[in-house]
């Protein structure tokens, strides 16, 4: 029902599974739409879109607690109207000149936090911290957050 309703919106085309979708540089104003709600972890496409200054519209759950809802256009409601409101917010930011700043901040976030080297170093630190715990039955809040990050 969701796809039927949203497919009636002008200028939206469903492509299904597309190989290297972000490499199509012929698009004048690409937007990544990720309405995922089942919590598969951080989608690499979010990182790829942010690294290419492509606006992101997604479910709040798809952000996986990693991306800021202030730097993306996200909704906690899985309803067509909620995604239309995200599109409208994106357009509003574009016309007010705020979109470029948002895209630049998202780009900097990925550049500073989500490089392969950074991810490997953070993962190694999580395992080192786990190895150094004298009593693994009583994990502190910081370690629980790291375990949660690792699971994503």
């Amino acid at each position: 029902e969701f796809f039927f309703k949203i497919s009636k919106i002008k200028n939206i085309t469903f492509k299904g599974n597309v190989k290297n979708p972000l490499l199509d540089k012929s698009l004048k104003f690409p937007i990544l739409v990720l309405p995922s709600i089942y919590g598969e972890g951080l989608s690499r496409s979010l990182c790829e879109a942010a690294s290419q200054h492509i606006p992101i519209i997604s479910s709040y759950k798809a952000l996986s607690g990693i991306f800021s809802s202030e730097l993306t256009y996200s909704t906690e409601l899985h309803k067509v109207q909620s995604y239309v409101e995200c599109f409208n917010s994106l357009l509003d930011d574009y016309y007010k000149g705020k979109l470029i700043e948002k895209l630049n901040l998202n780009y900097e976030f990925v550049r500073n936090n989500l490089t392969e080297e950074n991810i490997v170093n953070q993962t190694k630190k999580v395992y080192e911290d786990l190895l150094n715990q004298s009593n693994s039955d009583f994990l502190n809040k910081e370690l629980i957050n790291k375990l949660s990050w690792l699971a994503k």
Side-chain angles (χ1 to χ4, degrees):
E1 179 184 345
F2 170 78
F3 290 109
F4 177 74
K5 286 181 181 178
I6 202 164
S7 68
K8 299 296 181 191
I9 298 174
K10 186 178 178 182
N11 296 331
I12 294 181
T13 304
F14 289 96
K15 303 275 187 181
N17 187 13
V18 178
K19 186 176 180 180
N20 299 319
L22 297 179
L23 296 179
D24 185 356
K25 292 293 192 172
S26 66
L27 299 173
K28 196 168 184 179
F29 300 107
I31 299 170
L32 174 68
V33 180
L34 186 64
S36 176
I37 60 168
Y38 71 92
E40 68 277 11
L42 180 63
S43 170
R44 186 177 178 124
S45 61
L46 291 172
C47 304
E48 292 170 349
S51 74
Q52 298 298 310
H53 293 86
I54 294 173
I56 298 166
I57 294 176
S58 72
S59 66
Y60 183 77
K61 194 166 192 168
L63 300 177
S64 300
I66 306 284
F67 278 84
S68 165
S69 58
E70 284 94 39
L71 298 180
T72 61
Y73 301 89
S74 61
T75 177
E76 291 189 45
L77 304 174
H78 194 58
K79 300 191 179 297
V80 172
Q81 187 57 39
S82 299
Y83 288 95
V84 171
E85 289 168 12
C86 287
F87 276 103
N88 290 336
S89 293
L90 187 153
L91 287 173
D92 190 48
D93 281 353
Y94 173 77
Y95 288 119
K96 290 180 177 176
K98 296 179 181 178
L99 180 60
I100 297 298
E101 179 184 355
K102 203 172 203 178
L103 296 177
N104 287 338
L105 289 171
N106 231 359
Y107 170 82
E108 288 300 320
F109 171 77
V110 169
R111 189 169 163 250
N112 293 329
N113 297 290
L114 299 176
T115 63
E116 293 294 327
E117 180 181 3
N118 198 341
I119 291 170
V120 168
N121 289 336
Q122 289 179 42
T123 303
K124 283 173 57 179
K125 182 162 178 17
V126 168
Y127 284 114
E128 288 167 2
D129 288 349
L130 286 171
L131 287 172
N132 293 329
Q133 291 296 312
S134 59
N135 187 349
S136 63
D137 293 333
F138 299 101
L139 298 175
N140 63 30
K141 186 175 182 177
E142 182 181 335
L143 189 54
I144 289 171
N145 287 339
K146 287 179 183 177
L147 289 171
S148 176
W149 175 86
L150 182 63
K152 292 176 182 177

